[in-house]
Amino acid sequence: MIQLEEITKSYTLGKEAVNVLRGISLQIKSGEFVAIMGPSGSGKSTLMNIIGCLDRPTTGSYFLNEEDVSQHKDHELAKVRNQSIGFVFQQFQLLPRLTALKNVELPMVYAGASKQEREERARDALAKVGLQDRVGHLPNELSGGQKQRVAIARALVNDPSLILADEPTGALDTATSVAIMDLFVQLNQEGTTIVVVTHEPEVAEYASRVIYVRDGLLGQNPLEKGGQTS
Amino acid sequence: MSLWENIKMALMSVKAHKMRSILTMLGIIIGVAAVIVVVAIGQGGEAMLKSQIAGDGNTIEVFYQPSEEEMQQGKWEENPFTQEDIRQLEGIEKVSNVVASSSEFSTARLREEETETSITGINEAYLDVNQLKVEKGRSFTSADFLGGRRVAIVSAAMQEELFEGKSPIGEIIRIGVQPVEVIGVLEKPTGLFAFGSVETYIPWTAMRNMLGTSNYSQVTLQVENADDIQPIGERATTVLNQLHDTDDSYQVINMEEIAQGIGQVTTIMTTIIGSIAGISLLVGGIGVMNIMLVSVTERTREIGIRKSLGATRQQILLQFLVESIILTLIGGIIGIILGAGTAYLVSFFADWPSLISWQVVLGAVLFSMLIGVAFGLLPANKASRLDPIDSLRYE
Ligand SMILES: Nc1ncnc2c1ncn2[C@@H]1O[C@H](COP(=O)(O)OP(=O)(O)OP(=O)(O)O)[C@@H](O)[C@H]1O
Ligand SMILES: [Mg+2]
C-alpha cells in the first residue's frame, strides 16, 4: 500500500544544503505492522511526515494505495490525510479547549459528516479505546495515557487504512505504553496498517517488521550486525 | 465544514478571550456608535426643521404680499381672503382642507377682571389641522359655525389669566362689549418652541357678526400628499391672483429652496460623520487585524493539528475570516445599541427628536462585517499558509 522510490529530502539552511533523507526506497504492504527505529536525528520523523502526506519529498515518488501522492495538490493531500491516514504523536496534539469528544469529532468535521453521525462515531471510537466515561473531559483533565487514547480514537475515527504513530509511547510510562501498544495491535488485527516510530526495542517488538534509518538511509539492524558497523 | 460550525467556533474563541475581544472591538464600537448618534440626531433635526416649515399636517400657508406698485395703486387689503376665495381654494384637486382665520387683539372681561387677548375667528377646519385639542368642555360644532354662535374656546394661558385657573366653562366673557360664552379650554402646548399665549377662538361667522370682520386674514392649505404641497400651493396662488386681478400678491413659501438649504447642511454633516466613522473604523479595523495576527501566532499549533487532521487551506482561511467578521460584527452591534441609547438620551434631554432608520442600522451592520473581511484577510491568509509540520512543532 505504501511504495517509496528513491525519496530524498533536503533543507537549505543559509547557503548549506542539509540532506535529511538521501534516497529511501521502501514498501509496506496493507495490513503490516512496521516499526521504524534509528538514532536521533537520523530522519525518522521526516520520513513519517512524508508517508503521512504532511510533507513532500524533495525528489522521488511516493505511491499510497496506488496513487502517486507526490504529485498531489495541497487540497488533495489534505483529503488523503483526512480519509486515509490517522496520526498519533508523541505530544498527543489535542486541542486544549475542546473536550475529548470534540477532539475526536474533528477529522469528521473536516470530512463534512453530520453532527449526529459525528457524535455517534466519536463516542464509539472513545469506547473502543476504553474512554467511554471520559467523553466530556478536557485534555488537561486527563492523564498522559488517557490523552494518548483520545489521540488514537481521533486517529481511527475516520476509518483510515493507515495509522502513523511517531513515538506514541515516548511520553508514557512502561505500563501505559504496554496498554497503548496493545491498542495498536488490536487495530492492526482488525486490518489497519500501522507504522510506529520508536526508540524503544520493547515497542518495536510488537511490530511484524522493523526498519532501521541511519543518516537518511535505510540500514541493517545494528544489533544483528553486532560490532561490524563502524 | 459548514458556515454555522465556523460561526460557533468563532463565538467560542471570542468568548475564551472576553476582555481582549472587547478591547479589540472598541474602535468598531465607537465608530459605529458615533455614526448612529450623529445620523439619528441629524435626521431628527432635519425632520424637525422640515416639519416646522411645512407643519406636521402637510400644510402650506398662503400669504399676501402685494408689490410696491400695487400698494401705490391702493390695492392693499387688511383681510385679503374672501369667502369666495376659500370656496375656490376648496375646489382645487387634492386639497383636503382650507384653514382660514382672522385675528385681532382685544380686551376680554369677566366681571371686574380683564385681560388682553388675541381673538381669532376660525373656520371649521382650523382646530383639527392645527392640532389644537380641546381638553375641557366641548369643541365647536358645525351649528356653531353656521349659526355664528357666540361661543369661545380659550387657551390654557387665557384660563390662567382671566379665570385664575378656575373652570371657565359656561362663563360669559365680554369681548369689547359683546358677550361670549366659553365652552372649552385647549390643551397646554408642549415642546421646545411652544409658548402659552393668551388666545381666544370663536367661529369666524360669530366674529363677522360681532366685530364686522368681512374677510379672512390667514389661509393655510392642507393637502393629501406631502409631495403635492409645492405644486398645489402654486396652483392656489394662481387661482387667487386671478380672482383678485393681481400679479403676484398671493404667494407661498418655496419649499424647494428651503429643502435645498437643509440639504446643504445635511451634506456637510454627512461629510463630517463620514470622516469620524472612517477614521474610527480604520483604527478599529487595524486593531482587529493586529489581534487576529496575534491569535494566529498563538494558535499555530492548533492550526497544525487541524491541518494534520485534514483541514484544507480554505477551511483554515474561512475559520479565521469568520472569526474576525464575528469580532467586528459584535462590535458593530454593540455600537448600534450604544449609539441608539445615546441618541435616545440626547433626544430625551434636549427635547430634540432622533430618528434611527433601519437603513443606517443595516448599513452599520454590513459595514462592520466588511471591515471584518478587509482586515481579517491578511491574518486568515497567514494562518492558511502555515506549514503543518512547523506548526505542530511550534512551542
Ligand atoms: N525544517 C527543517 N529545517 C532544517 N533541518 C531540519 C528540519 N526538519 C528537520 N531537520 C533536520 O533533519 C534531521 C532529521 O530530523 P528528524 O526529526 O526526522 O529526526 P528523527 O529521526 O525523528 O529524530 P528523533 O529521534 O530525535 O525524533 C535533523 O538533523 C534535523 O535537524
Ligand atoms: Mg522524531
Side-chain angles (χ1 to χ4, degrees):
Chain A
M1 89 178 289
I2 294 171
Q3 187 167 357
L4 302 177
E5 280 161 19
E6 285 301 316
I7 293 288
T8 71
K9 180 76 188 178
S10 49
Y11 297 99
T12 39
L13 287 178
K15 282 185 181 166
E16 234 175 298
V18 187
N19 299 312
V20 179
L21 299 180
R22 299 188 293 158
I24 288 187
S25 299
L26 171 68
Q27 275 201 9
I28 295 173
K29 292 200 189 64
S30 186
E32 269 196 284
F33 191 145
V34 174
I36 298 179
M37 296 191 78
S40 187
S42 57
K44 304 182 295 293
S45 295
T46 307
L47 180 61
M48 279 293 257
N49 291 336
I50 288 172
I51 294 175
C53 296
L54 278 170
D55 205 355
R56 294 166 185 279
T58 308
T59 63
S61 59
Y62 171 23
F63 291 86
L64 175 66
N65 296 328
E66 271 85 58
E67 259 183 285
D68 186 359
V69 291
S70 41
Q71 303 298 324
H72 271 19
K73 299 205 176 64
D74 273 358
H75 69 271
E76 292 167 321
L77 288 182
K79 191 170 178 199
V80 171
R81 289 198 294 271
N82 186 246
Q83 306 289 312
S84 312
I85 299 171
F87 289 98
V88 178
F89 302 96
Q90 180 177 2
Q91 296 306 327
F92 320 126
Q93 307 285 25
L94 301 175
L95 292 190
R97 278 198 264 115
L98 299 185
T99 60
L101 188 73
K102 291 282 173 199
N103 261 291
V104 176
E105 281 185 32
L106 269 180
M108 291 183 288
V109 167
Y110 290 111
S114 75
K115 193 176 154 63
Q116 195 189 346
E117 183 191 352
R118 268 174 8 214
E119 199 178 314
E120 218 164 273
R121 279 169 55 192
R123 277 179 195 283
D124 287 351
L126 280 166
K128 191 161 186 175
V129 298
L131 285 182
Q132 57 276 14
D133 53 350
R134 294 283 189 280
V135 287
H137 287 231
L138 291 172
N140 65 12
E141 298 163 353
L142 296 170
S143 71
Q146 288 170 334
K147 280 187 222 179
Q148 199 60 302
R149 284 168 192 271
V150 175
I152 293 172
R154 185 179 66 184
L156 62 83
V157 77
N158 258 356
D159 249 331
S161 47
L162 176 62
I163 287 185
L164 302 176
D166 194 346
E167 300 186 45
T169 59
L172 304 175
D173 63 30
T174 316
T176 317
S177 299
V178 168
I180 293 293
M181 288 317 292
D182 284 339
L183 260 174
F184 283 121
V185 170
Q186 187 196 331
L187 289 174
N188 181 241
Q189 279 164 359
E190 290 166 14
T192 312
T193 310
I194 294 186
V195 181
V196 180
V197 169
T198 184
H199 284 287
E200 300 158 73
E202 300 84 10
V203 169
E205 297 216 329
Y206 287 87
S208 50
R209 176 156 70 110
V210 182
I211 291 169
Y212 295 90
V213 180
R214 179 175 274 254
D215 282 340
L217 289 169
L218 293 188
Q220 297 291 303
N221 183 346
L223 298 176
E224 281 172 12
K225 288 271 169 174
Q228 283 175 18
T229 41
S230 53
Chain B
M1 186 168 188
S2 70
L3 193 61
W4 175 235
E5 207 96 40
N6 270 306
I7 291 170
K8 271 201 303 200
M9 215 154 75
L11 285 174
M12 242 177 73
S13 150
V14 168
K15 236 170 73 181
H17 306 277
K18 280 192 204 80
M19 196 61 190
R20 180 162 108 180
S21 303
I22 299 257
L23 289 175
T24 308
M25 293 169 191
L26 214 53
I28 307 282
I29 294 176
I30 292 171
V32 170
V35 175
I36 298 281
V37 171
V38 179
V39 172
I41 292 174
Q43 290 193 339
E46 200 180 317
M48 189 168 82
L49 269 176
K50 276 189 178 155
S51 82
Q52 268 180 8
I53 293 160
D56 292 332
N58 295 346
T59 56
I60 186 165
E61 189 179 337
V62 182
F63 59 94
Y64 175 68
Q65 197 173 50
S67 64
E68 282 196 19
E69 245 174 84
E70 285 169 329
M71 299 266 265
Q72 278 163 5
Q73 290 165 18
K75 271 192 175 176
W76 193 81
E77 293 172 64
E78 193 183 356
N79 287 328
F81 303 96
T82 65
Q83 279 177 286
E84 175 58 17
D85 292 347
I86 307 300
R87 265 193 295 280
Q88 291 285 334
L89 292 179
E90 278 168 345
I92 296 174
E93 221 183 312
K94 289 182 186 164
V95 168
S96 49
N97 278 303
V98 177
V99 178
S101 64
S102 206
S103 40
E104 293 185 15
F105 274 94
S106 180
T107 310
R109 246 170 308 149
L110 173 77
R111 291 183 278 275
E112 284 82 48
E113 295 287 329
E114 63 172 58
T115 184
E116 286 296 310
T117 176
S118 71
I119 311 288
T120 309
I122 62 176
N123 73 346
E124 208 168 341
Y126 190 96
L127 291 181
D128 263 357
V129 173
N130 286 312
Q131 294 177 351
L132 297 171
K133 291 199 181 64
V134 176
E135 192 180 50
K136 269 180 285 182
R138 67 171 180 88
S139 187
F140 297 125
T141 61
S142 297
D144 294 335
F145 288 104
L146 286 173
R149 289 209 193 128
R150 298 182 179 205
V151 284
I153 293 175
V154 299
S155 68
M158 171 83 171
Q159 181 185 2
E160 294 284 319
E161 284 289 317
L162 194 59
F163 301 92
E164 289 160 334
K166 286 186 217 114
S167 172
I169 312 290
E171 296 278 6
I172 308 289
I173 57 172
R174 280 178 190 279
I175 306 221
V177 292
Q178 311 271 7
V180 174
E181 185 191 349
V182 177
I183 57 164
V185 181
L186 292 178
E187 224 171 50
K188 252 205 193 89
T190 56
L192 194 59
F193 294 89
F195 310 101
S197 43
V198 180
E199 283 158 1
T200 305
Y201 297 93
I202 56 177
W204 182 80
T205 39
M207 189 160 177
R208 185 184 56 192
N209 297 345
M210 285 159 56
L211 308 176
T213 314
S214 55
N215 290 329
Y216 295 96
S217 62
Q218 278 201 314
V219 164
T220 299
L221 302 179
Q222 187 182 42
V223 298
E224 287 160 13
N225 197 323
D227 296 334
D228 295 332
I229 289 182
Q230 195 63 36
I232 291 197
E234 265 150 30
R235 175 98 191 85
T237 59
T238 317
V239 168
L240 289 171
N241 281 318
Q242 261 174 17
L243 280 169
H244 292 261
D245 192 22
T246 48
D247 274 343
D248 200 20
S249 295
Y250 294 88
Q251 299 173 9
V252 289
I253 295 175
N254 191 334
M255 296 287 295
E256 266 147 37
E257 268 171 28
I258 287 169
Q260 253 174 23
I262 295 175
Q264 265 170 7
V265 175
T266 315
T267 311
I268 293 170
M269 225 170 57
T270 314
T271 317
I272 296 171
I273 306 162
S275 334
I276 299 174
I279 294 168
S280 170
L281 290 173
L282 186 74
V283 172
I286 293 171
V288 169
M289 179 157 72
N290 184 28
I291 281 300
M292 288 308 293
L293 283 171
V294 170
S295 170
V296 167
T297 307
E298 274 179 0
R299 285 151 72 187
T300 299
R301 198 189 255 266
E302 171 187 333
I303 294 162
I305 294 172
R306 289 182 183 277
K307 285 195 163 180
S308 77
L309 298 176
T312 60
R313 259 193 203 174
Q314 284 101 308
Q315 283 167 327
I316 299 291
L317 185 99
L318 194 65
Q319 177 190 343
F320 282 88
L321 202 55
V322 167
E323 198 167 315
S324 61
I325 294 172
I326 290 285
L327 261 182
T328 56
L329 183 62
I330 294 175
I333 290 170
I334 295 176
I336 289 168
I337 294 169
L338 219 65
T342 311
Y344 175 77
L345 279 183
V346 167
S347 70
F348 184 78
F349 286 111
D351 204 7
W352 174 287
S354 76
L355 293 175
I356 295 166
S357 59
W358 64 267
Q359 290 100 324
V360 173
V361 170
L362 185 74
V365 167
L366 289 180
F367 196 69
S368 43
M369 284 174 72
L370 192 73
I371 295 262
V373 175
F375 290 92
L377 265 177
L378 182 80
N381 188 48
K382 187 184 166 197
S384 78
R385 285 175 182 280
L386 285 178
D387 178 67
I389 298 165
D390 291 345
S391 317
L392 281 169
R393 255 198 231 122
Y394 186 85
E395 295 298 325

